[in-house]
Amino acid sequence: MANALSQQKPTVESISRQNRIRIGRLFIYGPLAVMAVLYLMPLWVMVVTSLKPLDEIYGGSFIGLPQTVTLDAWRSAWSQACIGTECTGLRPYFVNSLLMVIPAVVLSTGIGAINGYILTKWRFPGANFVFGLLLFGCFLPYQAILIPMARTLGLLGLAGSIPGLVFVHVAYGICFTTLFFRNYFVSLPDELTKAAMVDGAGFFRIFWSVILPTSIPIIVVSCIWQFTQIWNDFLFGVSFTSGGNSPITVALNNIVNVTTGRKQYNVDMAAAMIAAIPTLLVYIVAGRYFVRGLTAGAVKG
Amino acid sequence: MSTLEIDRVRKTYGNLEVLKEVSISIGTGDFLVLLGPSGCGKSTLLSMIAGLENISDGEVRIAGKVVNELSPKDRDIAMVFQSYALYPTMTVRQNIEFGMKIRGVPPAQRDKAARSAADLLQITHLLDRKPSQLSGGQRQRVAMGRAIVRQPKLFLFDEPLSNLDAKLRVDMRTEIKRLHARLGTTIVYVTHDQIEAMTLATRVAVMKGGVVQQLDDPQTVYDRPGNVYVAKFVGSPSMNIIPGRIEVEGTTATAIVDVANRPAARIPGIGLSSQAASTYANRKVLIGIRPELFSVGNGQAQGAISVDVDVVEPTGPDTLAVFQLGGVEVTARLPPKQVNARSSATLAVDTSKVVLFDQDSEELIN
Amino acid sequence: MNAAKSFSSRLAGWLPRIVVAPSLLIVIVTVYLFILWTGVISFTSSKFVPVYDFAGLEQFIRLWATPRWHTAVANLFIFSALFLMLSTGIGLLMAILLDQNIRAEGFLRAVYLYPMALSFIVTGTAWKWIMNPGLGIQKVVNELGWTSFTFDWITDPKMAIYTVVIAGVWQSSGFAMAIFLAGLRGIDNSVIKAAQIEGASLPLIYRQIIIPMLRPAMLSVIVLLSYIAIKSFDLVLALTNGGPGSATELPSTFMFSATFRRNQMGVGAASAIMMLMTVAAIIIPYLYSELRERNNG
Ligand SMILES: Nc1ncnc2c1ncn2[C@@H]1O[C@H](COP(=O)(O)OP(=O)(O)O)[C@@H](O)[C@H]1O
Ligand SMILES: [Mg+2]
């Protein structure tokens, strides 16, 4: 697995030290700084816009600091803005997303862990094929399953409900989490499980006492990845829920696409920030693991 | 403590036959070393004894009891792995006690057993550390501690020293030997290092390609290797295998070897069984001479041979001299500073330990 | 007693398979069976609800006769090509610059990558606001004195798809950067030292040695970004809602609106199958080669 990013391993430092003179460094820092500004600009715009009163938005520049700072837009986005005909703000949808994301993350990570354990330490004939089947699921364009899933959720009585969404996210999340754990466990020596077997431990005991305690990093990676994916999901939310059961992304899109009256851009931005804050927080707190999740399937290790 | 019988055991992975009818039997307190190059099936055989791999065919008996169907935990064995396989999140104490905990041994007893094992291996001060805080040698000791507390019928070691540096390897070798002498438990030990085999074993099984080539005590394996493969694998520098011919008189043979630009060399006084003597009289054979059987001789002695030395390699205690004999490169282990490179030398051969091999089958001629 | 023992040991032997079976069942049903189901629907005349008659290729014919679908496919090509080139190029450049043993590397990396943590809906919302011609970039530049400057792509049917490219590249180039950087960090130092001793200059070393060694990373980036491009849905919905008109329609949004808004389930299913085949054509060879190398290595 590529945790290379987290290790500060110098590669071409000696070259750069020799060949690069000070002016050369300018060509390195210059573009990097410009890019950094460009990357930060949308976040900056979202924050300052969300803090401005509406008049200032229509009067002043969208990029400048607010002259009067107000949290009205945030208040409105959180508890007053209209989503469809209900003017409840994002709060109930935020709660929906939490009710969806927590069980889905826990279940998919747990199932992925035990699948990865089996596919590496208890290989059976056809284990590789099973892994291949799961792996393709990571790359499934979900449009190809929307109609059958909608019908099936209806048959199961889960249509339009949060448990239904949890089921969908777990079903497709297993593919990713299994990949994470499998790739991690492949690098644990098989002798570890063999030693535990000689010590008398069985299938579950080895998993629980020997394998899981060594897997904290990959558990974090899996949880963060799943949390980000599920929190940010829109397609399943908009396809399988309606009205008050929608997750926050769907509600945000509804707020933003309201076409009646004077457009409240500050509320839009505050709402976007509210929807973004949980994943941004996770990213800030555990960015290292986030990167590992991103690159997990992509770079072999 | 117990006997171990491996009876016509085979192992196949699909169509790949990894072990072919392996039979080995050792007694109580024996130290069996499975010796062979990487990939010859040693670990597979050990795993089958441990119950970590299925036995495709044949039987494994521990203390006379067939264990084919028993899981590892029911075989009363303990195993030390090449990578030590210490549980990384547990302390040394927890590592050692893990097996006992699973078997439901009460805490007080566990603690006592862990302590005495730690005392024996001098790792008492490490009991509360994690494996990542230990050096290679210390990890090795912990792995052995984990095995010892089981008080098993049989210890299994899979290349336990090959991850250690050279100096530590020698120390731990001695330690293992001491441990065996003290506990007296039957041991099966896998290695590709012939010196480990020679120093530790009471019985050596030399393996190649899933077949046991020879099963004997180490000295016999060294002095009378069963075939050319064993002869070359055991001993360093390895035994010289020289093509030649023998003339027989009674049960004594004289080997005749071509020497470039000189008359053929004659090495008399090689003992033979009467049957072999009649079979091989005047036939081509392979003559096996260990490097240390050569000595610097004088020209008059019977069986002295004259050679042109190409290279000399001083090793400290002796010097290795390399020369051509019978069309192959031959190495002699001689006292230092007795011969020079690119000059001729006269060497004598201790013929009592010269061995002969059949030219075609490469088997030892008795 | 013997029988009991062999039963329990046989059970132990089957335990891993028993434990993995439910997951496998779920995936077989929700991935493979559902694909098949969608495929079946694409051969029926389903409209509002599935009906299981056989309509042959009717839906595919209808799909390819829909101008909107043509727009969607053309857009997908434009979007994917630009999105891939720009994300890969910018990502590679930033990775190489970041690899020059610079200060504040961790901070910069974090800045380039944070968009990846955002929902495409959030990204779309933000960029919709930034590119709003009345109040966004255009207005700022105009007020700075360049009064003739216009940036109204988002409302211009000809240019709107490029706004999707901009927002997409902003969101995903950091991802390319991360993979390239991991690739760069994995390159053996001694190779570079050896080239240096031979007197190769730094640009030459990059062109001739390092970038060719990034081939596996490059392959991963291209495959994964293609996959992101093909399934892009929320970004378009939030940024342009497929408009103006149907100017920014993509196959993903086409499928969704055909199925859930226009009651053309059969056409929706047919378009989904087209998407799936495109993804499969890219992903299956990739997975195959990855898995095979992994087994060999
Ligand atoms: N699970 C397996 N499937 C197929 N072949 C195997 C498997 N395990 C080991 N082998 C093969 O069996 C042979 C013996 O392996 P091993 O016992 O590990 O050798 P050694 O320990 O002597 O180095 C090797 O050629 C190896 O490739
Ligand atoms: Mg081995």
Side-chain angles (χ1 to χ4, degrees), chain A residues 32-45:
Chain A
L32 285 175
V34 170
M35 291 308 288
V37 169
L38 285 179
Y39 272 78
L40 284 172
M41 187 265 287
L43 186 63
W44 166 261
V45 168

mmCIF file with all atom_site columns, all heavy atoms in Angstrom, chain A residues 32-45:
data_model
loop_
_atom_site.group_PDB
_atom_site.id
_atom_site.type_symbol
_atom_site.label_atom_id
_atom_site.label_alt_id
_atom_site.label_comp_id
_atom_site.label_asym_id
_atom_site.label_entity_id
_atom_site.label_seq_id
_atom_site.pdbx_PDB_ins_code
_atom_site.Cartn_x
_atom_site.Cartn_y
_atom_site.Cartn_z
_atom_site.occupancy
_atom_site.B_iso_or_equiv
_atom_site.pdbx_formal_charge
_atom_site.auth_seq_id
_atom_site.auth_comp_id
_atom_site.auth_asym_id
_atom_site.auth_atom_id
_atom_site.pdbx_PDB_model_num
ATOM 1   N N   . LEU A 1 32 ? 3.850   26.553 -7.402  1.00 0.00 ? 32 LEU A N   1
ATOM 2   C CA  . LEU A 1 32 ? 3.186   25.881 -6.284  1.00 0.00 ? 32 LEU A CA  1
ATOM 3   C C   . LEU A 1 32 ? 2.315   26.867 -5.517  1.00 0.00 ? 32 LEU A C   1
ATOM 4   O O   . LEU A 1 32 ? 1.191   26.538 -5.119  1.00 0.00 ? 32 LEU A O   1
ATOM 5   C CB  . LEU A 1 32 ? 4.239   25.254 -5.353  1.00 0.00 ? 32 LEU A CB  1
ATOM 6   C CG  . LEU A 1 32 ? 4.909   23.986 -5.881  1.00 0.00 ? 32 LEU A CG  1
ATOM 7   C CD1 . LEU A 1 32 ? 6.008   23.521 -4.930  1.00 0.00 ? 32 LEU A CD1 1
ATOM 8   C CD2 . LEU A 1 32 ? 3.892   22.865 -6.066  1.00 0.00 ? 32 LEU A CD2 1
ATOM 9   N N   . ALA A 1 33 ? 2.828   28.088 -5.341  1.00 0.00 ? 33 ALA A N   1
ATOM 10  C CA  . ALA A 1 33 ? 2.067   29.088 -4.589  1.00 0.00 ? 33 ALA A CA  1
ATOM 11  C C   . ALA A 1 33 ? 0.825   29.509 -5.369  1.00 0.00 ? 33 ALA A C   1
ATOM 12  O O   . ALA A 1 33 ? -0.272  29.597 -4.805  1.00 0.00 ? 33 ALA A O   1
ATOM 13  C CB  . ALA A 1 33 ? 2.956   30.294 -4.292  1.00 0.00 ? 33 ALA A CB  1
ATOM 14  N N   . VAL A 1 34 ? 0.991   29.718 -6.675  1.00 0.00 ? 34 VAL A N   1
ATOM 15  C CA  . VAL A 1 34 ? -0.162  30.111 -7.490  1.00 0.00 ? 34 VAL A CA  1
ATOM 16  C C   . VAL A 1 34 ? -1.242  29.041 -7.420  1.00 0.00 ? 34 VAL A C   1
ATOM 17  O O   . VAL A 1 34 ? -2.428  29.319 -7.223  1.00 0.00 ? 34 VAL A O   1
ATOM 18  C CB  . VAL A 1 34 ? 0.281   30.348 -8.950  1.00 0.00 ? 34 VAL A CB  1
ATOM 19  C CG1 . VAL A 1 34 ? -0.943  30.517 -9.845  1.00 0.00 ? 34 VAL A CG1 1
ATOM 20  C CG2 . VAL A 1 34 ? 1.187   31.565 -9.039  1.00 0.00 ? 34 VAL A CG2 1
ATOM 21  N N   . MET A 1 35 ? -0.807  27.786 -7.560  1.00 0.00 ? 35 MET A N   1
ATOM 22  C CA  . MET A 1 35 ? -1.775  26.700 -7.499  1.00 0.00 ? 35 MET A CA  1
ATOM 23  C C   . MET A 1 35 ? -2.473  26.674 -6.142  1.00 0.00 ? 35 MET A C   1
ATOM 24  O O   . MET A 1 35 ? -3.685  26.457 -6.059  1.00 0.00 ? 35 MET A O   1
ATOM 25  C CB  . MET A 1 35 ? -1.086  25.348 -7.727  1.00 0.00 ? 35 MET A CB  1
ATOM 26  C CG  . MET A 1 35 ? -0.570  25.119 -9.131  1.00 0.00 ? 35 MET A CG  1
ATOM 27  S SD  . MET A 1 35 ? -1.793  25.386 -10.403 1.00 0.00 ? 35 MET A SD  1
ATOM 28  C CE  . MET A 1 35 ? -2.830  23.968 -10.171 1.00 0.00 ? 35 MET A CE  1
ATOM 29  N N   . ALA A 1 36 ? -1.688  26.893 -5.097  1.00 0.00 ? 36 ALA A N   1
ATOM 30  C CA  . ALA A 1 36 ? -2.284  26.845 -3.760  1.00 0.00 ? 36 ALA A CA  1
ATOM 31  C C   . ALA A 1 36 ? -3.376  27.905 -3.636  1.00 0.00 ? 36 ALA A C   1
ATOM 32  O O   . ALA A 1 36 ? -4.452  27.638 -3.095  1.00 0.00 ? 36 ALA A O   1
ATOM 33  C CB  . ALA A 1 36 ? -1.207  27.045 -2.699  1.00 0.00 ? 36 ALA A CB  1
ATOM 34  N N   . VAL A 1 37 ? -3.101  29.096 -4.162  1.00 0.00 ? 37 VAL A N   1
ATOM 35  C CA  . VAL A 1 37 ? -4.107  30.165 -4.099  1.00 0.00 ? 37 VAL A CA  1
ATOM 36  C C   . VAL A 1 37 ? -5.354  29.754 -4.880  1.00 0.00 ? 37 VAL A C   1
ATOM 37  O O   . VAL A 1 37 ? -6.491  29.882 -4.403  1.00 0.00 ? 37 VAL A O   1
ATOM 38  C CB  . VAL A 1 37 ? -3.523  31.485 -4.652  1.00 0.00 ? 37 VAL A CB  1
ATOM 39  C CG1 . VAL A 1 37 ? -4.631  32.517 -4.830  1.00 0.00 ? 37 VAL A CG1 1
ATOM 40  C CG2 . VAL A 1 37 ? -2.449  32.005 -3.709  1.00 0.00 ? 37 VAL A CG2 1
ATOM 41  N N   . LEU A 1 38 ? -5.150  29.212 -6.082  1.00 0.00 ? 38 LEU A N   1
ATOM 42  C CA  . LEU A 1 38 ? -6.294  28.791 -6.891  1.00 0.00 ? 38 LEU A CA  1
ATOM 43  C C   . LEU A 1 38 ? -7.114  27.709 -6.191  1.00 0.00 ? 38 LEU A C   1
ATOM 44  O O   . LEU A 1 38 ? -8.335  27.683 -6.279  1.00 0.00 ? 38 LEU A O   1
ATOM 45  C CB  . LEU A 1 38 ? -5.812  28.267 -8.244  1.00 0.00 ? 38 LEU A CB  1
ATOM 46  C CG  . LEU A 1 38 ? -5.366  29.334 -9.246  1.00 0.00 ? 38 LEU A CG  1
ATOM 47  C CD1 . LEU A 1 38 ? -4.888  28.673 -10.534 1.00 0.00 ? 38 LEU A CD1 1
ATOM 48  C CD2 . LEU A 1 38 ? -6.520  30.273 -9.546  1.00 0.00 ? 38 LEU A CD2 1
ATOM 49  N N   . TYR A 1 39 ? -6.403  26.808 -5.503  1.00 0.00 ? 39 TYR A N   1
ATOM 50  C CA  . TYR A 1 39 ? -7.117  25.726 -4.842  1.00 0.00 ? 39 TYR A CA  1
ATOM 51  C C   . TYR A 1 39 ? -7.883  26.216 -3.632  1.00 0.00 ? 39 TYR A C   1
ATOM 52  O O   . TYR A 1 39 ? -8.942  25.688 -3.307  1.00 0.00 ? 39 TYR A O   1
ATOM 53  C CB  . TYR A 1 39 ? -6.146  24.604 -4.451  1.00 0.00 ? 39 TYR A CB  1
ATOM 54  C CG  . TYR A 1 39 ? -5.973  23.608 -5.561  1.00 0.00 ? 39 TYR A CG  1
ATOM 55  C CD1 . TYR A 1 39 ? -5.160  23.898 -6.646  1.00 0.00 ? 39 TYR A CD1 1
ATOM 56  C CD2 . TYR A 1 39 ? -6.658  22.403 -5.560  1.00 0.00 ? 39 TYR A CD2 1
ATOM 57  C CE1 . TYR A 1 39 ? -5.027  23.011 -7.695  1.00 0.00 ? 39 TYR A CE1 1
ATOM 58  C CE2 . TYR A 1 39 ? -6.527  21.510 -6.607  1.00 0.00 ? 39 TYR A CE2 1
ATOM 59  C CZ  . TYR A 1 39 ? -5.714  21.818 -7.670  1.00 0.00 ? 39 TYR A CZ  1
ATOM 60  O OH  . TYR A 1 39 ? -5.603  20.945 -8.701  1.00 0.00 ? 39 TYR A OH  1
ATOM 61  N N   . LEU A 1 40 ? -7.329  27.220 -2.965  1.00 0.00 ? 40 LEU A N   1
ATOM 62  C CA  . LEU A 1 40 ? -7.989  27.701 -1.756  1.00 0.00 ? 40 LEU A CA  1
ATOM 63  C C   . LEU A 1 40 ? -9.118  28.678 -2.066  1.00 0.00 ? 40 LEU A C   1
ATOM 64  O O   . LEU A 1 40 ? -10.014 28.874 -1.248  1.00 0.00 ? 40 LEU A O   1
ATOM 65  C CB  . LEU A 1 40 ? -6.964  28.366 -0.832  1.00 0.00 ? 40 LEU A CB  1
ATOM 66  C CG  . LEU A 1 40 ? -6.073  27.386 -0.076  1.00 0.00 ? 40 LEU A CG  1
ATOM 67  C CD1 . LEU A 1 40 ? -4.971  28.112 0.658   1.00 0.00 ? 40 LEU A CD1 1
ATOM 68  C CD2 . LEU A 1 40 ? -6.907  26.563 0.910   1.00 0.00 ? 40 LEU A CD2 1
ATOM 69  N N   . MET A 1 41 ? -9.066  29.289 -3.265  1.00 0.00 ? 41 MET A N   1
ATOM 70  C CA  . MET A 1 41 ? -10.015 30.355 -3.590  1.00 0.00 ? 41 MET A CA  1
ATOM 71  C C   . MET A 1 41 ? -11.477 29.945 -3.394  1.00 0.00 ? 41 MET A C   1
ATOM 72  O O   . MET A 1 41 ? -12.233 30.671 -2.721  1.00 0.00 ? 41 MET A O   1
ATOM 73  C CB  . MET A 1 41 ? -9.729  30.830 -5.018  1.00 0.00 ? 41 MET A CB  1
ATOM 74  C CG  . MET A 1 41 ? -10.493 32.028 -5.472  1.00 0.00 ? 41 MET A CG  1
ATOM 75  S SD  . MET A 1 41 ? -11.949 31.546 -6.373  1.00 0.00 ? 41 MET A SD  1
ATOM 76  C CE  . MET A 1 41 ? -11.246 30.964 -7.909  1.00 0.00 ? 41 MET A CE  1
ATOM 77  N N   . PRO A 1 42 ? -11.918 28.800 -3.927  1.00 0.00 ? 42 PRO A N   1
ATOM 78  C CA  . PRO A 1 42 ? -13.334 28.478 -3.745  1.00 0.00 ? 42 PRO A CA  1
ATOM 79  C C   . PRO A 1 42 ? -13.748 28.361 -2.282  1.00 0.00 ? 42 PRO A C   1
ATOM 80  O O   . PRO A 1 42 ? -14.837 28.803 -1.904  1.00 0.00 ? 42 PRO A O   1
ATOM 81  C CB  . PRO A 1 42 ? -13.477 27.126 -4.456  1.00 0.00 ? 42 PRO A CB  1
ATOM 82  C CG  . PRO A 1 42 ? -12.383 27.128 -5.466  1.00 0.00 ? 42 PRO A CG  1
ATOM 83  C CD  . PRO A 1 42 ? -11.240 27.816 -4.799  1.00 0.00 ? 42 PRO A CD  1
ATOM 84  N N   . LEU A 1 43 ? -12.846 27.802 -1.468  1.00 0.00 ? 43 LEU A N   1
ATOM 85  C CA  . LEU A 1 43 ? -13.179 27.671 -0.050  1.00 0.00 ? 43 LEU A CA  1
ATOM 86  C C   . LEU A 1 43 ? -13.306 29.059 0.582   1.00 0.00 ? 43 LEU A C   1
ATOM 87  O O   . LEU A 1 43 ? -14.249 29.345 1.325   1.00 0.00 ? 43 LEU A O   1
ATOM 88  C CB  . LEU A 1 43 ? -12.089 26.862 0.658   1.00 0.00 ? 43 LEU A CB  1
ATOM 89  C CG  . LEU A 1 43 ? -12.360 26.503 2.118   1.00 0.00 ? 43 LEU A CG  1
ATOM 90  C CD1 . LEU A 1 43 ? -13.585 25.616 2.236   1.00 0.00 ? 43 LEU A CD1 1
ATOM 91  C CD2 . LEU A 1 43 ? -11.158 25.830 2.751   1.00 0.00 ? 43 LEU A CD2 1
ATOM 92  N N   . TRP A 1 44 ? -12.363 29.909 0.230   1.00 0.00 ? 44 TRP A N   1
ATOM 93  C CA  . TRP A 1 44 ? -12.382 31.283 0.715   1.00 0.00 ? 44 TRP A CA  1
ATOM 94  C C   . TRP A 1 44 ? -13.688 31.968 0.309   1.00 0.00 ? 44 TRP A C   1
ATOM 95  O O   . TRP A 1 44 ? -14.367 32.577 1.140   1.00 0.00 ? 44 TRP A O   1
ATOM 96  C CB  . TRP A 1 44 ? -11.169 32.021 0.146   1.00 0.00 ? 44 TRP A CB  1
ATOM 97  C CG  . TRP A 1 44 ? -11.213 33.512 0.280   1.00 0.00 ? 44 TRP A CG  1
ATOM 98  C CD1 . TRP A 1 44 ? -11.567 34.413 -0.679  1.00 0.00 ? 44 TRP A CD1 1
ATOM 99  C CD2 . TRP A 1 44 ? -10.912 34.274 1.446   1.00 0.00 ? 44 TRP A CD2 1
ATOM 100 N NE1 . TRP A 1 44 ? -11.499 35.678 -0.190  1.00 0.00 ? 44 TRP A NE1 1
ATOM 101 C CE2 . TRP A 1 44 ? -11.097 35.628 1.132   1.00 0.00 ? 44 TRP A CE2 1
ATOM 102 C CE3 . TRP A 1 44 ? -10.504 33.927 2.739   1.00 0.00 ? 44 TRP A CE3 1
ATOM 103 C CZ2 . TRP A 1 44 ? -10.882 36.646 2.036   1.00 0.00 ? 44 TRP A CZ2 1
ATOM 104 C CZ3 . TRP A 1 44 ? -10.287 34.944 3.651   1.00 0.00 ? 44 TRP A CZ3 1
ATOM 105 C CH2 . TRP A 1 44 ? -10.479 36.290 3.299   1.00 0.00 ? 44 TRP A CH2 1
ATOM 106 N N   . VAL A 1 45 ? -14.053 31.827 -0.938  1.00 0.00 ? 45 VAL A N   1
ATOM 107 C CA  . VAL A 1 45 ? -15.258 32.463 -1.444  1.00 0.00 ? 45 VAL A CA  1
ATOM 108 C C   . VAL A 1 45 ? -16.491 31.952 -0.706  1.00 0.00 ? 45 VAL A C   1
ATOM 109 O O   . VAL A 1 45 ? -17.368 32.708 -0.314  1.00 0.00 ? 45 VAL A O   1
ATOM 110 C CB  . VAL A 1 45 ? -15.386 32.219 -2.957  1.00 0.00 ? 45 VAL A CB  1
ATOM 111 C CG1 . VAL A 1 45 ? -16.773 32.612 -3.454  1.00 0.00 ? 45 VAL A CG1 1
ATOM 112 C CG2 . VAL A 1 45 ? -14.320 32.989 -3.706  1.00 0.00 ? 45 VAL A CG2 1
#
